[in-house]
């Protein structure tokens, strides 16, 4: 009876507000085609997909592709590289904007502060392709960075992107260059809302400026830091491949090839469609678990969480 | 005692100013280097060691070569089309989605939210996505630059939050006056959400301008390539087409050595040509972007 009444009410509402329901259609269609379509296609990870046979005719092979990946030589290399690259990104890339915000927060001269901010934002507006092009230029045989490094170490280097030891530093520090100014905005915003009486009270007690940073400023922006940290750790395995494939080459695969770039290369360059789908599925499952676990830990320890 | 503190304070300030000045210069230098190098004599540039602080000689030949290269201009035009059309589609879809989800009376609203939220955490991955794109005819089709990225869930949720913050009484009053849903959307909701709309408009604009990966995997014909994909070929794959490098068109390239030098020069000029327009307008748009970071952070 209740269900019937509900369906009558619904029909009445659809009749009255048909326009709103009509507007929902293109959006829902888009989600089903472009987001759910590929999710269904993920089943080819359990098949031996042959484009000529098509989706339904290809044979089921169960976990074969997953086993191939776990037992093959690329499993450890790609997982290790993904973890290491993220470790670098979090250790340096995550802390750099916090440090910059702390420094900028000490500046009372509005003009200087604004100039610094405007200039440090600038690299954020250069497209990724151009940024990577600039990296290629600066780290080439005769590039400025290569020359500076030669000057400092006294050693001779050819193009730096050819050394696997340099891949992570180049990747991380160019990332900092690109994003540090931009990412510090959010911390500065959080800092600007700190109650100034806290600082005044600290001054009365004769507390130094570095101590004020440590005991007042940092704890006040802790929730923001934690949320962004959850994102950083939660997105670990989903680490983007665009910048990787613009910078890596076979010489550096042993440090530069992460799971996502491996999926791209095996899947689209070498057409191992089922196998690379399996690898991709593995990484998105791990990623979801990571996000869930970090979120849980954050909620337990600091009562800040995404959901 | 007070003097001691003030000296310490002063020293602290000076240190911070020094560090920040240094960081700013480091941030600025790569951009400056590219700009100076693009105007330098290429042969002297190749021979030069170390930091550039002024142009070495002066020439605009690099720029002449860049503008003589038709493919780059075609790429520029394609990008303008993709960015224009793509951003328009983005805005329409995002407004539709946000409007529908901000309706109070909507049935299935929670179901739709679940359907949408799931996509923020799960996806099919690159390969199933690619196969699907081929199946639905996106391969080598210019709509491949527009439809697959027609909507960004995050932006839609930001806009919905914006719509929901509009006092309901305003809509009620409009309904009593006999306004239709479309009128309410166009005359009440959109004008009151200008700031949020500007923010997501800019996000889409920049995203579309920077996009290259979908073009690389989905587009085949060079005359459909967006600027960023051509830039990738020139800057990352060391693949400046031979036609650009010839001596045709009045720019004299005298020897093989200077041909290599010119190839380098063209890279610098290409970067400037493709990036300068954005760097010049961005200070004016900066406040919107900054606002966008706040809007996004409230949501997050």
């Amino acid at each position: 009876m209740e269900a019937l009444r509900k369906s009558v009410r619904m029909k009445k509402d659809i009749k009255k507000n048909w326009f709103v329901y009509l507007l929902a259609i293109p959006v829902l269609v888009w989600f089903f085609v472009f987001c759910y379509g590929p999710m269904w296609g993920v089943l080819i990870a359990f098949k031996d997909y042959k484009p000529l046979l098509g989706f339904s005719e290809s044979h089921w092979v169960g976990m074969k592709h997953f086993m191939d990946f776990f037992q093959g030589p690329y499993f450890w290399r790609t997982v290790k590289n993904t973890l290491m690259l993220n470790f670098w990104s979090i250790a340096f890339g995550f802390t750099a904007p916090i440090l910059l915000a702390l420094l900028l927060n000490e500046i009372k001269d509005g003009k200087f502060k604004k100039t610094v901010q405007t200039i440090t934002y600038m690299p954020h507006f250069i497209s990724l392709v151009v940024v990577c092009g600039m990296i290629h230029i600066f780290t080439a045989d005769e590039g400025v960075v290569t020359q500076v490094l030669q000057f400092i170490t006294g050693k001779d280097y050819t193009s730096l992107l050819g050394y696997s030891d340099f891949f992570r530093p180049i990747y991380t520090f160019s990332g900092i260059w690109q994003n540090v100014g931009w990412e510090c905005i959010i911390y500065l915003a959080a800092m600007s809302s700190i109650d100034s009486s806290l600082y005044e009270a600290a001054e009365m007690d004769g507390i130094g400026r570095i101590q004020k940073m440590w005991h007042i400023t940092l704890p006040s922006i802790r929730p923001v830091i934690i949320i962004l940290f959850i994102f950083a750790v939660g997105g670990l395995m989903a680490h983007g491949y665009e910048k990787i494939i613009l910078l890596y080459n076979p010489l550096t695969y042993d440090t530069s090839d992460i799971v996502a770039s491996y999926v791209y290369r095996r899947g689209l360059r070498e057409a191992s469609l089922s196998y690379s789908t399996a690898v991709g599925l593995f990484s998105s499952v791990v990623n979801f678990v990571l996000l869930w676990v970090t979120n849980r830990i954050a909620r337990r320890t600091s009562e800040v969480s995404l959901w | 005692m007070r003097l001691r503190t003030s000296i310490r304070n002063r020293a602290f300030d000076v240190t911070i100013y020094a560090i920040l000045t240094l960081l700013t210069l480091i941030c600025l230098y790569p951009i400056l280097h590219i700009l100076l190098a693009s105007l330098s004599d290429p042969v002297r540039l190749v021979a030069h060691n170390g930091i550039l602080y002024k142009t070495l000689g002066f020439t605009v030949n690099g720029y002449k070569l860049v503008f003589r290269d038709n493919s780059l201009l075609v790429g520029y035009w394609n990008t303008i089309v993709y960015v224009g059309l793509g951003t328009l589609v983005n805005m329409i879809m995002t407004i539709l989605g946000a409007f529908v989800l901000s309706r109070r009376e909507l049935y299935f609203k929670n179901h739709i939210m679940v359907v949408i939220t799931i996509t923020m955490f799960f996806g099919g991955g690159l390969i199933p996505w690619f196969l699907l794109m081929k199946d639905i005819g996106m391969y080598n089709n210019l709509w491949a630059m527009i439809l697959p990225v027609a909507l960004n869930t995050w932006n839609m949720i930001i806009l919905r939050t914006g719509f929901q913050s509009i006092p309901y009484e305003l809509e009620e009053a409009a309904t009593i006056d006999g306004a239709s849903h479309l009128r309410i959307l166009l005359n009440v909701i959109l004008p009151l959400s200008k700031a949020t709309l500007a923010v997501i408009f800019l996000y889409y604009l920049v995203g579309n301008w920077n996009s290259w990966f979908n073009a690389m995997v989905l587009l085949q014909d060079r005359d459909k390539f967006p600027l960023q994909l051509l830039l990738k070929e020139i800057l990352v794959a060391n693949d400046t087409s031979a036609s650009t490098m010839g001596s045709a068109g009045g720019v004299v390239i005298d020897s093989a050595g200077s041909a290599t030098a010119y190839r380098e020069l063209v890279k610098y000029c290409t970067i400037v040509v493709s990036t300068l327009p954005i760097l010049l307008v961005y200070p004016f748009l900066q406040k919107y972007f900054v606002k966008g970071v706040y809007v996004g952070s409230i949501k997050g």
Side-chain angles (χ1 to χ4, degrees):
Chain A
M1 196 58 199
E2 181 59 32
L4 184 73
R5 199 175 303 150
K6 204 175 163 191
S7 97
V8 169
R9 257 207 332 252
M10 194 177 83
K11 270 186 195 144
K12 246 173 91 181
D13 186 61
I14 292 182
K15 213 165 180 181
K16 189 173 138 227
N17 295 318
W18 60 272
F19 185 70
V20 176
Y21 292 90
L22 187 74
L23 292 186
I25 291 171
V27 177
L28 284 175
V29 167
W30 186 85
F31 271 103
F32 277 108
V33 172
F34 290 96
C35 295
Y36 284 90
M39 281 192 220
W40 189 66
V42 101
L43 285 175
I44 66 166
F46 305 96
K47 286 186 159 207
D48 196 13
Y49 179 71
K50 296 253 182 349
L52 284 177
L53 288 177
F55 180 80
S56 50
E57 294 297 309
S58 296
H59 295 294
W60 290 96
V61 294
M63 301 298 283
K64 175 175 171 291
H65 298 299
F66 293 89
M67 287 303 143
D68 283 352
F69 177 56
F70 295 145
Q71 286 159 2
Y74 296 107
F75 175 69
W76 278 117
R77 191 176 85 174
T78 53
V79 170
K80 182 196 80 192
N81 287 341
T82 310
L83 293 176
M84 282 306 289
L85 207 60
N86 277 283
F87 174 76
W88 276 73
S89 297
I90 290 171
F92 301 104
F94 186 77
T95 46
I98 302 177
L99 291 175
L100 180 63
L102 282 176
L103 291 179
L104 277 171
N105 196 45
E106 294 295 316
I107 301 290
K108 299 290 170 278
D109 173 1
K111 222 173 196 169
F112 180 75
K113 192 171 175 176
K114 199 154 186 235
T115 315
V116 172
Q117 282 192 285
T118 305
I119 292 174
T120 49
Y121 294 167
M122 224 143 86
H124 185 81
F125 293 91
I126 302 177
S127 74
L128 183 65
V129 171
V130 170
V131 167
C132 291
M134 287 167 72
I135 297 171
H136 276 267
I137 289 176
F138 290 130
T139 60
D141 286 348
E142 300 290 325
V144 177
V145 176
T146 317
Q147 285 174 355
V148 169
L149 196 69
Q150 276 170 348
F151 181 75
I152 294 172
T153 62
K155 288 184 196 153
D156 247 350
Y157 291 109
T158 53
S159 168
L160 297 182
L161 284 171
Y163 298 91
S164 41
D165 285 347
F166 289 140
F167 185 82
R168 285 174 195 141
I170 291 174
Y171 186 93
T172 311
F173 290 105
S174 62
I176 293 177
W177 175 72
Q178 217 184 331
N179 294 319
V180 69
W182 185 249
E183 285 170 357
C184 90
I185 296 176
I186 194 161
Y187 296 112
L188 278 176
M191 286 174 189
S192 69
S193 63
I194 300 174
D195 187 354
S196 60
S197 65
L198 286 175
Y199 291 109
E200 283 154 20
E203 254 159 57
M204 296 286 203
D205 294 343
I207 287 174
R209 287 169 73 179
I210 296 189
Q211 279 170 314
K212 272 193 264 174
M213 280 185 192
W214 185 253
H215 292 293
I216 300 173
T217 316
L218 272 179
S220 307
I221 61 167
R222 211 167 73 129
V224 181
I225 297 179
I226 290 172
I227 290 277
L228 293 179
F229 189 76
I230 299 174
F231 273 116
V233 176
L236 223 145
M237 289 298 275
H239 202 107
Y241 46 79
E242 292 200 4
K243 189 169 169 191
I244 302 271
I245 61 183
L246 288 171
L247 290 180
Y248 79 169
N249 61 59
L251 291 174
T252 58
Y253 279 173
D254 57 323
T255 55
S256 63
D257 194 22
I258 65 171
V259 177
S261 58
Y262 180 62
V263 170
Y264 158 77
R265 203 169 63 251
R266 285 301 296 268
L268 294 185
R269 288 270 161 263
E270 295 164 24
S272 309
L273 299 170
S274 284
Y275 174 76
S276 51
T277 305
V279 178
L281 180 58
F282 155 77
S283 84
S284 54
V285 170
V286 172
N287 196 45
F288 185 72
V289 172
L290 269 177
L291 187 65
W292 190 76
V293 170
T294 1
N295 192 51
R296 249 193 115 75
I297 294 173
R299 194 163 50 186
R300 280 269 171 79
T301 55
S302 62
E303 287 164 5
V304 179
S305 72
L306 291 184
W307 66 80
Chain B
M1 181 62 200
R2 174 170 278 176
L3 189 69
R4 278 263 291 281
T5 335
S6 101
I7 290 174
R8 274 235 314 264
N9 229 339
R10 194 97 198 111
F12 191 74
D13 271 334
V14 169
T15 319
I16 287 185
Y17 272 87
I19 295 174
L20 283 175
T21 309
L22 188 70
L23 281 176
T24 309
L25 288 178
I26 293 174
C27 261
L28 189 62
Y29 178 73
I31 300 169
L32 206 64
H33 181 99
I34 300 282
L35 191 63
L36 293 174
S38 77
L39 292 166
S40 292
D41 178 354
V43 180
R44 282 176 64 188
L45 188 66
V46 167
H48 178 77
N49 273 321
I51 307 281
L52 271 183
Y53 49 89
K54 60 177 175 48
T55 61
L56 302 165
F58 184 85
T59 171
V60 289
N61 281 348
Y63 288 99
K64 281 188 190 157
L65 283 171
V66 168
F67 283 111
R68 208 153 278 140
D69 185 2
N70 217 10
S71 71
L72 209 61
L73 292 179
V74 171
Y76 234 115
W77 172 246
N78 287 341
T79 290
I80 290 170
V81 172
Y82 298 149
V83 169
L85 202 59
T87 310
L88 181 71
V89 172
N90 287 148
M91 291 308 285
I92 293 174
M93 290 291 281
T94 311
I95 289 171
L96 287 187
F99 176 67
V100 169
L101 290 173
S102 69
R103 299 298 79 200
R104 297 177 156 205
E105 66 271 24
L106 187 76
Y107 273 80
F108 312 118
K109 190 162 82 177
N110 292 337
H111 299 91
I112 296 175
M113 260 332 269
V114 170
V115 163
I116 288 168
T117 314
I118 287 174
T119 66
M120 294 177 82
F121 294 101
F122 296 102
L126 178 63
I127 308 303
W129 174 85
F130 175 77
L131 293 175
L132 180 78
M133 290 307 111
K134 273 187 113 161
D135 279 349
I136 60 174
M138 286 294 130
Y139 196 67
N140 204 18
N141 180 336
L142 3 125
W143 288 97
M145 295 303 292
I146 294 161
L147 291 183
V149 289
L151 190 59
N152 176 300
T153 313
W154 196 247
N155 287 345
M156 187 174 81
I157 290 178
I158 289 174
L159 190 61
R160 182 192 74 140
T161 313
F163 285 177
Q164 279 173 338
S165 68
I166 295 170
Y168 188 62
E169 292 73 42
L170 285 176
E171 284 172 44
E172 244 177 353
T175 318
I176 291 167
D177 289 346
S180 64
H181 285 290
L182 186 65
R183 273 207 93 77
I184 292 176
L185 175 63
L186 295 179
N187 294 359
V188 179
I189 295 179
L190 291 186
L192 288 172
S193 312
K194 269 187 208 137
T196 319
L197 286 171
V199 167
I200 63 167
F201 174 76
L202 283 172
Y203 276 164
Y204 279 128
L205 197 75
V206 172
N208 289 331
W209 168 269
N210 286 343
S211 154
W212 63 280
F213 185 80
N214 287 3
M216 181 180 74
V217 298
L218 290 174
L219 296 183
Q220 275 283 297
D221 302 338
R222 291 189 62 85
D223 59 357
K224 290 181 185 146
F225 282 7
L227 181 65
Q228 298 299 327
L229 187 55
L230 294 169
L231 289 177
K232 180 200 169 263
E233 291 188 347
I234 295 169
L235 299 174
V236 175
N238 275 325
D239 180 40
T240 316
S241 66
S243 66
T244 336
M245 304 323 308
S247 60
V251 182
V252 183
I253 296 173
D254 33 35
S255 68
S258 70
T260 329
Y262 266 96
R263 205 189 310 268
E264 286 302 306
L265 183 67
V266 165
K267 285 187 185 177
Y268 293 112
C269 298
T270 314
I271 292 180
V272 174
V273 167
S274 63
T275 307
L276 203 61
I278 299 209
L279 288 188
L280 288 181
V281 278
Y282 115 84
F284 301 100
L285 302 175
Q286 188 179 331
K287 63 172 186 198
Y288 289 104
F289 279 106
V290 173
K291 201 180 275 167
V293 172
Y294 295 147
V295 172
S297 69
I298 291 160
K299 201 43 228 162

